[in-house]
Each structure stands twice: as C-alpha cells, then as structure tokens.
Amino acid sequence: MPVETVHRQCNLCEAHCGLRIHVDGAEVKRIEGDPDDHMSRGYICPKAAALVDLYTDPDRLRRPVRKVADGWEEMDWDEALDLAAAGLRRVREAGGEDAVATYFGNPAAHGWSLLSATSLREAIGGRNHSSATSTDQLPQHRTSAEMFGNLGLFPIPDIDRTDYLLVLGANPSVSNGSLMTAPGARHRLRDIVKRGGTVVVVDPRRTETAASASRHVAVRPGGDVHLLLGILNVIFAEGLDEVPDLCTGADQVAALAADWNPERAAPLAGVEAAEIERLAREFATADSAVAYGRVGVCQQRTGTLVHWLINVLNAVTGNLDRPGGAMFPEPFLDLTLTLRLARRGGERGHGRWHQRLSGLPELNGEVPVAGLAKEITTPGEGQVRGLVVYAGNPVMSTPGGRQLDAAFERLDWMVSIDAYVTETSRHADVILPPVSVLERGEVDVVFPLVSVRNTIRWNPPAVPKQEGGKEDWEILNGLTRRLGGGVLTRRRAFSLAARVASPARIVDAALASGPYGVLRRGPFKGLTMRKVKAAKHGIDLGPLEPRLPGALLTADDRVALAPAVFLEAAADLDEQVAQAERDAEDGFDLTLIGRRNLRSNNSWMHNSRRLTKGADRCTAMLHPDDAGSRALEEGAVVRVISRIGEIEVPLEISEDVRPGVVSVPHGYGHGRREGVGWKHAASLPGASVNDITDPAVRDAVTGNAAFNNVAVRIEAA
Ligand SMILES: Nc1nc2c(c(=O)[nH]1)N[C@H]1C(S)=C(S)[C@@H](COP(=O)(O)OP(=O)(O)OC[C@H]3O[C@@H](n4cnc5c(=O)[nH]c(N)nc54)[C@H](O)[C@@H]3O)O[C@H]1N2
Ligand SMILES: Nc1nc2c(c(=O)[nH]1)N[C@H]1C(S)=C(S)[C@@H](COP(=O)(O)OP(=O)(O)OC[C@H]3O[C@@H](n4cnc5c(=O)[nH]c(N)nc54)[C@H](O)[C@@H]3O)O[C@H]1N2
Ligand code: SF4
Ligand SMILES: [Mo]
C-alpha cells in the first residue's frame, strides 16, 4: 500500500500545531511539522510524535468496561451506555438533580465533542458541575465577565506586533502558550527582541522563557498584585496614563494605586522599587506594549485581582484593543453566543447560585472543583452521590488529590469517559473509552477564541476509525439520550433533539451564520465546511482587528476598570500578609509553586516511552541557600510537607529559583496508586504534588485553586 500524507493538527496543547502524518492504512509511519500551516509554519514539539504512542498503546481501552469483583469486564456499547445511564438515573431519582455531578478535564477543550458535553450537562441538570477551569483560567473568566460583560471574551497579547511584552506567571517556551494560541511561541517571543523590542518575564523561577528574554524579574510568589499596583502607582503619579474614553472607573483605580507607591509595594512584591519604576516607565512609553498573565498568576489567592490589574495596565496605557496590545480574536464560532443572548435578557452568567459548602459562586454553570471532595462526603440536601468524569484526572490534577481519591470510593455511581484506567477512572463503575485523536475528524472550536490570528482548520482522521469504536461525542450523546428521557413533553422532546445534534451539524450551522459565513458574506466570499475541508493547511482569517465597543456586553457598552467586587477584594490585601505570617509561625517557611516540562502534558502522557526517557523530572527545585541552611544535598530524597500532607521527591538544587520557594511539577507519581492501567507510567518515579496542595488555599474571589501559594517546609527524608 502506498504511503499517504494526512494534514491535521496536534491537539495536545493550545498551540494546535499543523502536522504532516505519513500513514500506510492503519499504520502511522512518521509525524512531522507542516511547513505550510499558516499558524505553526512547521513548528512542533517532541510531544507530537507521541500521538502515535497513544494510538498504538496496548494499555489503552478499546471497549467499554465495567467494574467486577476481580477487575474489569468488557462490554458491548449499548449495554455499557444503558448501564452507565441507569446508574446515574438511580442516583438522580434518590437524591435529586444536584446528586449527580460532572467534571470535565482539559482535553475536553481540545476537540469538538465539547459541544456534546455541554448538552450532557444540561440533560443531567443540577448545580454541581466543575471542570479543570477552576484549576486554571477561572480568574480570567471572572475578570472578563466584570470588565467586558462577557466571560468568554479574552484579551490576547498581540505578540507578533508588540514592542514590549510583560509576561507574568507563564512559561510559553515550555507550555507553548496558553490563552494565547501561538504555535512556536518561543520563536515569536525571540522575534520581539530581534526586532528591537523588549520581553520581561516576571516569575519566581528563572524559566526557559526568562532565559531568552530581555530581563527576568524574580517576584515573590503571590507578589504580583503588589508589583502591578506599584507599576500603576508610578504611571498615574507621573501622568503616563492615557485612558481611552471607552473605559469607566479610571479615577477609582488611580485612587487605589495611589496607596501603593513603589516603596510600599516593593517588599511585598519582592521586587526592588527602582525596578517597579523602570517597568512602569518602559511599559507606558513603549510604542505598543502588552501585559500577559497565565497560570502562575491565576493559581494564586489573588488570581482574579492580578488578572484585573493586568487588564487595567493594558487599558490605561492605551494598549487595549489595538495592534501590539491586548486584542480580541473574532472566532468563526462564538461559543458565547448563548451567553450573549442570555445577557440581553439581563443574565450575567455567574453568581446565579453558590456551591453548597464553600459558598463560592457559580460561573458559566460551574462551581470550583476544589470543593468537590467535601460535596461528596458531607451529608445533607444536595449532596453529590454520582459523578461523570469526562477527559479529566482530578485525583492527580486538583488540590487535595488524596481526599478526592477517598471521596470517590464513597460515591454510589461513577462513570468515566476516558481511554485509560487512571488514578481517577479506577473508581468508576463503568469506563467508556473514546477512540484516539488520530482516528477523529474535527474542527477546533475553542482555541480560535484565544488565537493570535483569526483562523479555522479542518482536521481529517489520519487513520481509519477502529471498528466499533466511538468518538467522545457519540458517547456523550448516547448518555444524553438515555438521561433526557422519562415522560417527555413536546418541548423537552424538541430540546432533546437539539441537544443530541452531532458537532458536525452544529459547526456547519455556526460557520454559516458566523462572521465569516455565507449568511453574512454571501455565497462567494463566505466560508462553508466544504471550503474549510479543501484547505489542507488551514485558512488564515487575518490578524486580530479592533473589536470594541462592539464586542462588549456591559450594560453601558464601556470597559469597567473598577468593578466593585475587585475594589473590595483589593481592600483586603493585608490578609495576604497576615496569612504569610501565620504560615511562618506554623513552621511552613517555603512557598510551593508549579512547573511544566516540555515532554509531559499534565498527568496523562507518561505512558509514552519516548517522552519519559532520561532523568526523573519530578524533583523539588530549591535555591542553594535554602538547601544549605537545611543541610540538604543534590539528589537526596526530601520530604515536602504542607498542612494537609507530605510527599517524597529528589532534591534538585538550582540558582534559578528564588530563595524561599520550592518548585515541584504536577501530574507525576502514577506508581503510588494501585490498579492504574497505564503500566509504563506506573513504573516511573515521582509523587503527585496535588497530594499536598490544599483545597482551602484558593483565589479569594472565584475559588480557583491557588497551587502557587501553598505553604510548605522541607526535611531530609
Ligand atoms: N499542582 C498543579 N496542579 C495543576 C496545575 C498546576 O499548574 N499545578 N495545572 C492545572 C491545569 S492548568 C489543568 S488544565 C489541569 C488539568 O487537569 P485534568 O484535565 O483533570 O487532567 P489531565 O491530566 O489533563 O487528564 C486528562 C485525562 O483525560 C484523558 N483524555 C485525554 N484525551 C482524551 C480525549 O480525547 N477524550 C477523553 N474522553 N479523554 C481523554 C486522559 O487519559 C486523562 O485521564 O491540571 C491542573 N492541575
Ligand atoms: N509541555 C507542557 N505544555 C503544556 C502543559 C503541560 O503540562 N506540559 N499544560 C498545558 C496547560 S493545561 C496549560 S493551562 C498551559 C499553562 O501554560 P503556562 O501558564 O505558560 O504554564 P507554566 O509553564 O506552568 O508557567 C507558569 C509559570 O508561573 C510561575 N509562577 C508560579 N507562581 C508564580 C507567582 O506567584 N507569580 C508569578 N509571576 N509567576 C509564578 C511558574 O514558575 C511558571 O514558570 O500549558 C499547557 N501546555
Ligand atoms: S506544541 Fe507540541 S504538544 Fe503543543 S500542539 Fe504543538 S506539537 Fe502538539
Ligand atoms: Mo490548563
């Protein structure tokens, strides 16, 4: 058989690089970068080649399984879907709608089956839905909701045109960019410097991104809020601000910043006053400048405040919604469409109910996952007794993994949609495995919302779909159909039909009616799926264009720089200092922060041998002074202890981390839990850092997990 070349994207991270996949029937011969992809221009990272490892992995489930006394028993699809749905209905009948919770993980965002997942949630009903969002970008949703009136409208750094990039808490050289789809981000950042611009990285660790930047600012973990207030203080005090008419509340922000001169901000930020002044002046006087923050500053007690101040900094220097600043993509499909409609009806899309025990607000129908373990273990009305996990591994990826592990044991019914028996799905009664990504055909519907250029791309399947195999959307719709039933009124029957539409149909309709579609642009210029499918390397829909005020959904059609809830929270910053003092008194003298590795992807790529070769990557990185004062040596196994637990990992001494900080990556330690199906992963060393991250340590405004503010101490093991 001849070798054929299929062009599609890698969907492992947000870069969605274009690939050339050489296949011979069902066999994948080689995977390489697609030089003709207009976004990635041939760039790929080592993980792309591992897509074939996922496809051929003997540990991957090919058929549904149910838990039996001595392990797992394979089932037919219909039987498995019936069983899974029957269990959920039982739980719902006994405990009401709130008794069934869902958790959607990160890969859910990387495929168009997400559209069907949303429908499943609606069919389940209730108020106990969570996702990886509340370990990740929840503060950014809330910030967008308050400032722009639209929780799905993200300002994206226009890195290809900017003169000055201020990065806070992101490491795009390793993560390949996040809430910024910019394949080859590492090169794009270097290009800024090459064309005479400046890149400054604010991070407690001198990261791979910091190493190739113009400057590194080693902030104290959690000190970003003070740093930004200090910068804003200087900008307003020196009259460097240039607030557009489009914004309201600049005076209130200026009044807040007035209390934070660089001398006051400096010790709390852990950055010298002179550096704060320099940053302010450079940023405000650059031809164009953009501040960009990601998980390092989301996963903080002050996560929402920091993202608010990042947006404020961009806005008051005239850099919001202009080339080289922070801009808003115009996706072919507006996932916030229903939100826009609801918004017109006066609905905000957040705060409509509160999580039973934490009291934290819902956002976009979700409550913080950090509260899930308690919702399962605490009796009372609304207690969670059943769960659907879709494309997630919360035992490894959410704070307090051990508590969640124990809580899952106590559920009456659990369904996992995952291709592996993971630390999470091992608790399920039924596991429903989708085919692997190379067997799917789809269009990425999420990342055009955050892309540095407007774009659309069709991804054909690279290999034939396994016989009898199902894609995620087929599994999700199978459950929705079985759960939506009961006595159907005509209205419910109609909405059920709409719910179980295939993603292909939904995208078709959305494309036609969207900004690039035939309904708006006419039959010749307008895009259709046929045209999209014919463009093998994707379609470039151009650079980002200014979109304000049109894209705003605030009541007055202006950008709100001073939402009351943020001003209130900012008044409480002393509590941060008090907390640090309590931590120190209790003997927790270090702050734990996270780290990512280029050859790893959260918790689930460790069964690939090619990605896991070489040194143990799950180490505790510590500054030489902190190692010295504790008489700890390089490579020695150390105990990292938090208020809720301890883990043992080898020590890596490095000048790159700021004193007082210890950096440990997440997603490792598969061998510490019995019965997982990814055997190679389980044979690797490491521990799960989320066994010691504390669900009580969270962003004050949203409840997002504050993985980077966990107080710890370190001892020789
Ligand atoms: N300490 C600490 N913890 C963190 C973070 C951190 O920085 N520090 N980061 C957080 C962030 S940003 C995120 S996004 C979360 C991620 O958290 P999760 O999404 O909960 O975890 P993942 O490790 O991504 O697990 C994904 C699961 O989905 C399965 N899967 C993969 N592809 C598919 C698919 O196509 N279909 C289906 N059905 N299943 C699939 C995998 O087998 C795996 O079990 O972790 C968070 N946890
Ligand atoms: N190779 C690889 N790529 C990935 C992933 C992966 O696991 N591996 N995960 C994907 C996912 S789900 C996401 S969300 C993105 C995340 O993409 P990024 O946001 O770029 O994620 P990180 O690489 O974790 O970078 C966060 C940085 O914040 C720093 N930091 C920690 N605490 C603080 C603080 O208090 N202040 C400041 N200023 N910085 C702090 C950390 O040292 C770290 O360098 O990456 C995606 N890409
Ligand atoms: S950066 Fe790597 S993992 Fe991310 S999409 Fe590109 S090839 Fe895939
Ligand atoms: Mo994430």
Side-chain angles (χ1 to χ4, degrees), residues 67 94 133 172 190 230 246 252 382 431 510 514 651 654 671 676 706 710:
K67 188 173 276 156
T133 289
R190 281 195 195 136
L246 190 69
Q252 283 158 290
I431 307 178
L651 185 69
S654 168
V676 294
V710 176

Side-chain angles (χ1 to χ4, degrees), residues 506-587:
I506 300 173
V507 166
D508 229 4
L511 181 63
S513 58
Y516 310 97
V518 281
L519 295 180
R520 288 211 217 158
R521 300 217 165 167
F524 297 111
K525 278 194 174 166
L527 283 184
T528 58
M529 271 316 282
R530 201 175 50 79
K531 288 184 196 168
V532 173
K533 284 186 178 174
K536 274 196 219 159
H537 313 288
I539 298 179
D540 185 7
L541 299 168
L544 305 187
E545 303 275 357
R547 287 196 64 202
L548 300 190
L552 295 174
L553 289 176
T554 43
D556 58 0
D557 281 334
R558 297 175 80 188
V559 174
L561 293 184
V565 44
F566 297 168
L567 288 174
E568 256 165 55
D572 207 23
L573 280 178
D574 289 345
E575 169 51 24
Q576 303 297 313
V577 180
Q579 180 62 46
E581 279 163 10
R582 284 196 294 275
D583 292 339
E585 273 164 27
D586 293 351

Side-chain angles (χ1 to χ4, degrees), residues 658-674:
R658 192 190 149 91
V661 174
V662 51
S663 156
V664 182
H666 70 284
Y668 292 87
H670 306 280
R672 313 253 167 162
R673 285 174 164 93
E674 296 291 312

Side-chain angles (χ1 to χ4, degrees), residues 10-17 19 43-48 176:
C10 172
N11 77 333
L12 292 174
C13 85
E14 296 178 37
H16 280 231
C17 301
L19 305 177
Y43 175 85
I44 50 167
C45 85
K47 289 187 291 300
N176 280 295

Side-chain angles (χ1 to χ4, degrees), residues 57-274:
D57 192 343
D59 292 343
R60 181 165 65 81
L61 297 174
R62 265 83 172 167
R63 296 184 64 201
V65 291
R66 80 165 122 197
K67 188 173 276 156
V68 289
D70 54 351
W72 298 95
E73 182 183 277
E74 289 199 348
M75 302 176 80
D76 290 334
W77 271 108
D78 275 338
E79 208 190 340
L81 286 165
D82 286 345
L83 178 71
L88 295 172
R89 293 176 81 124
R90 258 198 325 274
V91 170
R92 194 166 58 176
E93 273 151 30
E97 283 190 341
D98 291 337
V100 180
T102 64
Y103 173 85
F104 296 171
N106 167 277
H110 292 269
W112 70 2
S113 294
L114 180 66
L115 299 168
S116 302
T118 319
S119 306
L120 174 62
R121 255 185 197 167
E122 281 165 22
I124 288 173
R127 292 173 294 187
N128 283 312
H129 305 293
S130 301
S131 76
T133 289
S134 51
T135 67
D136 187 342
Q137 80 286 3
L138 179 58
Q140 287 176 266
H141 285 296
R142 184 64 187 272
T143 309
S144 289
E146 299 287 345
M147 298 182 77
F148 313 127
N150 182 346
L151 59 84
L153 186 70
F154 293 114
I156 304 305
D158 186 16
I159 56 171
D160 292 345
R161 289 182 286 186
T162 197
D163 297 293
Y164 193 99
L165 176 67
L166 179 64
V167 179
L168 298 105
N171 187 13
S173 293
V174 166
S175 68
N176 280 295
S178 181
L179 289 203
M180 175 180 82
T181 288
R186 186 154 50 96
H187 303 297
R188 291 173 193 256
L189 260 55
R190 281 195 195 136
D191 286 345
I192 299 176
V193 181
K194 275 193 203 151
R195 59 176 186 262
T198 305
V199 177
V200 180
V201 175
V202 177
D203 198 304
R205 179 168 75 89
R206 190 179 140 83
T207 59
E208 298 77 356
T209 307
S212 61
S214 319
R215 211 152 83 239
H216 170 223
V217 175
V219 70
R220 190 182 61 79
D224 305 82
V225 65
H226 305 105
L227 175 69
L228 287 161
L229 285 167
I231 291 175
L232 287 165
N233 174 284
V234 177
I235 288 176
F236 285 115
E238 299 187 359
L240 299 171
D241 56 302
E242 203 182 299
V243 186
D245 292 339
L246 190 69
C247 301
T248 60
D251 291 348
Q252 283 158 290
V253 177
L256 169 69
D259 291 338
W260 290 93
N261 63 31
E263 288 66 37
R264 180 175 177 209
L268 295 170
V271 176
E272 284 180 15

